[in-house]
Amino acid sequence: MAKVEANGVTIGLDLTARDVQQELKSIGLPWEKAKAFDGSAYVADSFTAVESFPAGHHT
């Protein structure tokens, strides 16, 4: 397997509309609509370089 390297990291937050999810699941439908709303996935607008982490934490 090839080694994968990253130059930087950021943070993301994936949200779910639980009420929609439960309703769709209860009637046997796929619940992707519970993840498909404006603002459902936030990603930071900046990256932190891997080199800025203490030695040993990015190997």
Side-chain angles (χ1 to χ4, degrees):
M1 181 180 290
K3 182 178 178 182
V4 177
E5 294 188 26
N7 294 324
V9 295
T10 192
I11 295 176
L13 177 61
D14 178 24
L15 303 173
T16 301
R18 294 289 186 177
D19 57 335
V20 175
Q21 179 187 34
Q22 292 302 320
E23 180 181 342
L24 292 170
K25 284 173 63 176
S26 73
I27 56 177
L29 294 175
W31 48 273
E32 73 269 3
K33 288 184 178 182
K35 308 258 295 150
F37 57 92
D38 288 343
S40 65
Y42 293 96
V43 178
D45 59 359
S46 63
F47 287 86
T48 301
V50 171
E51 291 82 20
S52 68
F53 291 96
H57 288 81
H58 53 83
T59 59

